[in-house]
Amino acid sequence: MMNGWGNMMGRWGTRYGGYGMIGRMGIFMPLIFGIGIILLGIFLFRHSTSRVHTGTMGKQSGKLSLNIFRGVCTMNNNLRKPMKKILLSLSLLLLTLVFATNTMAASGGLEQDSGPYHIIMQTNPENLMVNQAGTMTMIIKNKATGQPVTGAQVMMMPSTMVSNASNSASMAGMDMSSGRDKQGGSPMQEQSSMGSMAMDPGTYMMQGMTFNQPGQWNQAITITSPLGASTVNFPIAVSKSGPNFVLIGSAAGVVMLTGILAAILKKKKN
Amino acid sequence: MPSNKQPLNFLNYPLLKRFLKSSLYPRIFQWITVLVFGVIMVETLAGPTNVGENFGSAATWVLWWPLIPFFFFLLGRFWCGICPFAWVSDLTQKLFGANLKVPNFIRKNGLWIIDITFIFITWSDHIWGIVESPRGTGTLLLLILGGVMVSALLFERRTWCRYLCFLGSLSGNYSRAGMLELRADKDTCKSCKTRDCYKGNAKTPGCPMFEFPMAMDNNANCNLCGNCIKSCPHDSIRLTPRKPTSEFWSMSRAHFEESFLAIVIVGIVFVQNITMLDFYPSFLKWVELILGIANQDIVFTILFIFAMTTPVLLLFAATAFSKRFAGETLRNAFARFGYAVIPLDLASHMAHNLFHLLAEGKATYYTFMGLFGVHLEGSTSFIADPTIQIMQYFLVVAGTFGSLYTAYRIAKKNYGVSKALSVCMPYLVVIMFFGILNFLTFTVRMAMRM
């Protein structure tokens, strides 16, 4: 299920660099796909209209049929421009939908049931990077009634690393800006608003969390309220903050291949 | 009675002419931009991921992007002449280029591809936060660099800059409202046999933008690279100042695609403005509730489509009303009057980015010092917000009046004085509406980029 608080801070939510690898790669894959559709559409349309012209001319003879042909040609020419515009508009719409779907797929929060609670968790940015400040937001609801749980004590426990992307032995863990309690947990603050924006009831937030290593982390959160106490675990993927070599390599690869093609064409030309 | 007074020609200044004719121009500027661009690329692709610490992001979005519309207004497409991508294109082509003819498809549909790319990039900025993410900025620059190199490897001259660069199209539109023009003296050119300005000669290549200065009647595709100044054996080229926006009412050919982009930019600038206002998150949430769609990105996409299509539809509606008096086809009238919104586009773009330049400009210096390990903190603004706001108001009002005047002059030129007001009235109403809407967005404080 998609929830309505994806990217809670709206446009500013991404100012900490919410731009993971999927997003980065996702930018140009649909772009290429969309432009491909447009090019193909226009090519097919042009191809089909030129065939209509030739076909009509080949079959018709005499003055009357020539006039009919003229009519067909005029109609085709008249139709061609609006059709092209319609085709382009449709392609644009399709393109937008493809992107929207792509984004929708990438922006879903994690949801879990734990004890009497239904919890939705999201980080901002969605794809956290090493040493980059992020925000974790949770909406806690009563599993039975679907009502938001307010006034609960929500503790974020020290996160543990499940797998280390850099295979480093060090596990310095996660830092949080707020203080820890005796058990080493940090309380998540209930938020009713953020700036001028009202938040859903039952929203708890932890700002300024940073991870000092890339890899898969496990985040345990304990919730205590009159409904009872429960602990829930969420996986958090932290990626490296270095350059995206896949992207750079892809761009360089395309340029290299084009360079080879250009060299062949140049040789042929000479 | 026609005036015999010759317009001021900057090329009559010997020092400037010598500089423009020398090999230093535009190389000396290109070297600087290439150097800075190299640093920006490295920083955005591999530097700090926090936008507030990244020099590449600051230099791109707080310095370059806000300054560029002012360049277009004052100096036409001069930026395109010194653009680092153009340098990369020339170098790649010189070393490895196959120099094929530009395919007809690109020549005919280039502007549409640009229109779509421009809309897409604006949309994706809001969805993926390109501006707020150094990696996003790096990705965008890398994709542009890739596109530039691919087109330079395959096709002749600066195919990318002329037919595919989304910024080139924007600059083409904006520079048409600008104050500087490069033209050739038609009388001198008539007797020319060599056509060096287009073909090039042993010393200087031909026009990289596929333009023939003698036939050039607008600024859209002249990047002031100076090749024609260098190669013309008859000193036919003139570089003259002119009244801002005068090109729109003196031009003979109107292109639907260019007008379409101009009117789409109204929507784009509006989206840029409104999404940076304090109340925007609450507004987005409200729309979510109204539409019953629980995903902000989808809601934004719907609003975005609405914002892009509304100005187009309004201009079409104005054209439909105006058609009664003009007696022209919808397409032709739309194409003709679409240019009238460019002054407002340019002014709104300037006003929006003026805030980033003046309220966040120092971030460029702080992050630049960060490259050398010097950590600086402090206010990023040069002047107080209320002063910036007054400047924004001034720009939007000036842009609105510029657009209103342009619409009137277009009508006057094409339909005569008697019909001018009735033909342009629907456009004046629409432009006024856009102007007021833009003005209102500047009454609310904007969010910062850095």
Side-chain angles (χ1 to χ4, degrees):
Chain A
M1 191 186 95
M2 297 299 154
N3 55 73
W5 48 284
N7 197 357
M8 281 222 172
M9 288 185 283
R11 176 176 173 76
W12 299 281
T14 50
R15 66 174 295 160
Y16 300 105
Y19 204 83
M21 189 176 149
I22 295 167
R24 285 199 295 270
M25 296 303 287
I27 263 188
F28 68 98
M29 296 309 272
L31 179 64
I32 293 165
F33 177 66
I35 289 174
I37 290 172
I38 294 162
L39 299 184
L40 185 71
I42 292 172
F43 172 77
L44 287 176
F45 181 73
R46 290 195 155 187
H47 192 63
S48 63
T49 48
S50 64
R51 269 209 309 220
V52 169
H53 292 188
T54 322
T56 319
M57 188 155 59
K59 283 173 191 169
Q60 305 297 333
S61 60
K63 207 174 175 180
L64 182 67
S65 47
L66 191 66
N67 281 339
I68 292 167
F69 162 68
R70 277 179 188 152
V72 170
C73 282
T74 318
M75 196 175 73
N76 277 331
N77 281 335
N78 286 340
L79 273 175
R80 216 167 127 162
K81 278 178 184 170
M83 276 301 286
K84 207 193 301 183
K85 270 186 269 174
I86 292 165
L87 192 69
L88 279 164
S89 313
L90 285 175
S91 308
L92 185 64
L93 190 67
L94 184 67
L95 203 67
T96 314
L97 287 175
V98 169
F99 300 138
T101 315
N102 182 294
T103 309
M104 195 171 72
S107 66
L110 288 170
E111 297 192 23
Q112 273 189 44
D113 287 337
S114 175
Y117 306 109
H118 176 72
I119 305 127
I120 307 165
M121 186 283 280
Q122 189 154 7
T123 60
N124 199 326
E126 280 161 29
N127 303 289
L128 289 167
M129 287 187 186
V130 174
N131 295 328
Q132 181 188 35
T135 302
M136 178 185 260
T137 315
M138 298 177 66
I139 294 181
I140 304 172
K141 289 180 177 173
N142 185 328
K143 194 168 74 178
T145 62
Q147 292 299 307
V149 176
T150 55
Q153 190 192 22
V154 183
M155 300 297 294
M156 181 183 269
M157 308 312 286
S159 40
T160 52
M161 184 173 263
V162 181
S163 69
N164 189 340
S166 61
N167 294 323
S168 161
S170 161
M171 284 178 58
M174 186 191 77
D175 253 351
M176 283 169 283
S177 56
S178 49
R180 292 169 186 248
D181 73 349
K182 285 172 196 167
Q183 287 80 42
S186 301
M188 290 181 79
Q189 301 301 322
E190 189 169 0
Q191 300 276 330
S192 57
S193 66
M194 192 165 181
S196 59
M197 188 179 76
M199 308 288 275
D200 288 333
T203 299
Y204 298 81
M205 197 177 269
M206 169 63 75
Q207 289 178 305
M209 52 190 277
T210 57
F211 293 84
N212 58 9
Q213 281 188 63
Q216 193 67 41
W217 292 76
N218 180 56
Q219 183 58 60
I221 289 147
T222 60
I223 304 161
T224 313
S225 81
L227 291 174
S230 184
T231 301
V232 62
N233 289 291
F234 282 110
I236 295 176
V238 178
S239 54
K240 286 180 190 172
S241 58
N244 184 344
F245 289 110
V246 177
L247 179 77
I248 297 168
S250 305
V254 171
V255 172
M256 287 281 279
L257 286 174
T258 317
I260 294 166
L261 180 70
I264 295 167
L265 291 168
K266 206 172 169 181
K267 211 174 171 185
K268 242 182 186 177
K269 214 171 149 186
N270 294 334
Chain B
M1 198 180 85
S3 166
N4 288 330
K5 196 184 164 193
Q6 288 290 314
L8 175 69
N9 178 8
F10 289 125
L11 293 180
N12 287 339
Y13 296 105
L15 213 63
L16 181 68
K17 188 174 180 179
R18 203 186 311 162
F19 174 62
L20 294 178
K21 276 189 163 241
S22 76
S23 58
L24 279 178
Y25 180 81
R27 286 279 174 264
I28 194 162
F29 297 112
Q30 275 185 327
W31 291 330
I32 298 166
T33 57
V34 166
L35 186 74
V36 177
F37 173 69
V39 178
I40 288 174
M41 277 297 273
V42 172
E43 267 285 282
T44 51
L45 288 170
T49 48
N50 188 341
V51 70
E53 296 165 11
N54 194 296
F55 170 71
S57 287
T60 307
W61 302 117
V62 172
L63 191 67
W64 170 78
W65 186 241
L67 278 179
I68 206 161
F70 291 93
F71 266 95
F72 296 146
F73 182 69
L74 296 171
L75 301 170
R77 283 185 73 169
F78 168 70
W79 166 259
C80 298
I82 63 165
C83 172
F85 290 120
W87 181 84
V88 171
S89 173
D90 291 350
L91 187 71
T92 310
Q93 198 167 56
K94 197 174 168 185
L95 297 174
F96 312 106
N99 281 307
L100 304 177
K101 291 267 174 232
V102 183
N104 265 346
F105 176 80
I106 293 180
R107 280 200 287 122
K108 284 184 181 166
N109 299 295
L111 264 172
W112 283 113
I113 297 172
I114 286 170
D115 285 358
I116 290 167
T117 314
F118 196 66
I119 292 170
F120 167 72
I121 289 173
T122 311
W123 179 85
S124 61
D125 172 33
H126 290 270
I127 296 293
W128 290 305
I130 291 174
V131 173
E132 288 84 0
S133 158
R135 296 289 182 271
T137 303
T139 304
L140 179 66
L141 295 176
L142 190 71
L143 291 177
I144 295 173
L145 184 68
V148 168
M149 291 181 82
V150 165
S151 74
L153 283 166
L154 295 174
F155 306 119
E156 59 178 346
R157 307 194 190 206
R158 289 185 192 166
T159 299
W160 175 271
C161 308
R162 168 71 199 250
Y163 297 109
L164 298 168
C165 177
F166 70 94
L167 187 66
S169 176
L170 184 79
S171 59
N173 262 9
Y174 283 176
S175 61
R176 296 180 80 146
M179 297 173 66
L180 187 71
E181 68 176 24
L182 182 145
R183 298 285 184 272
D185 179 4
K186 288 189 170 67
D187 293 330
T188 311
C189 294
K190 269 180 199 166
S191 57
C192 179
K193 298 273 189 292
T194 59
R195 308 275 158 102
D196 285 354
C197 56
Y198 183 78
K199 293 178 190 165
N201 56 29
K203 283 183 182 171
T204 314
C207 177
M209 300 295 280
F210 304 83
E211 283 290 305
F212 184 38
M214 182 192 168
M216 211 163 70
D217 66 349
N218 64 65
N219 269 9
N221 296 309
C222 174
N223 61 14
L224 299 170
C225 67
N227 281 5
C228 55
I229 299 172
K230 291 184 181 79
S231 62
C232 179
H234 311 292
D235 268 352
S236 170
I237 306 297
R238 286 169 183 180
L239 195 60
T240 51
R242 64 181 188 186
K243 279 183 200 162
T245 76
S246 59
E247 188 175 303
F248 300 124
W249 66 76
S250 59
M251 66 185 184
S252 49
R253 280 172 297 171
H255 296 278
F256 183 80
E257 304 91 307
E258 286 174 354
S259 281
F260 184 82
L261 180 67
I263 193 72
V264 160
I265 290 172
V266 173
I268 288 177
V269 173
F270 185 70
V271 167
Q272 296 285 18
N273 283 345
I274 204 145
T275 53
M276 296 196 91
L277 302 181
D278 278 344
F279 66 83
Y280 173 69
S282 316
F283 170 69
L284 202 62
K285 190 131 187 89
W286 176 75
V287 179
E288 264 182 57
L289 292 170
I290 296 290
L291 296 177
I293 299 170
N295 185 296
Q296 282 196 339
D297 293 335
I298 293 178
V299 172
F300 170 75
T301 305
I302 292 166
L303 287 174
F304 184 77
I305 293 172
F306 180 74
M308 293 299 111
T309 49
T310 306
V312 178
L313 294 176
L314 280 176
L315 197 74
F316 262 120
T319 310
F321 274 111
S322 165
K323 223 180 110 189
R324 293 178 183 186
F325 308 99
E328 250 191 315
T329 64
L330 200 66
R331 184 190 167 92
N332 285 352
F334 182 95
R336 203 186 294 287
F337 282 96
Y339 292 97
V341 297
I342 292 176
L344 180 59
D345 282 349
L346 180 61
S348 306
H349 193 153
M350 283 175 172
H352 174 89
N353 285 294
L354 198 68
F355 176 80
H356 297 302
L357 181 70
L358 298 178
E360 303 179 70
K362 282 187 188 167
T364 315
Y365 172 64
Y366 296 157
T367 51
F368 177 73
M369 294 309 286
L371 293 176
F372 306 101
V374 180
H375 183 74
L376 294 174
E377 268 183 26
S379 164
T380 56
S381 66
F382 287 112
I383 51 176
D385 283 3
T387 316
I388 301 172
Q389 212 165 16
I390 289 167
M391 292 161 88
Q392 288 176 317
Y393 292 155
F394 173 77
L395 279 169
V396 174
V397 170
T400 308
F401 277 110
S403 281
L404 293 171
Y405 184 63
T406 305
Y408 173 73
R409 289 299 298 258
I410 291 172
K412 191 178 156 191
K413 193 217 169 197
N414 292 285
Y415 312 101
V417 183
S418 58
K419 272 185 169 182
L421 208 59
S422 46
V423 170
C424 74
M425 191 50 79
Y427 298 106
L428 300 186
V429 172
V430 169
I431 289 166
M432 205 64 198
F433 173 70
F434 293 152
I436 291 168
L437 217 57
N438 266 298
F439 189 90
L440 288 176
T441 58
F442 291 113
T443 57
V444 186
R445 196 183 187 279
M446 280 164 56
M448 292 199 178
R449 275 182 183 152
M450 300 300 291

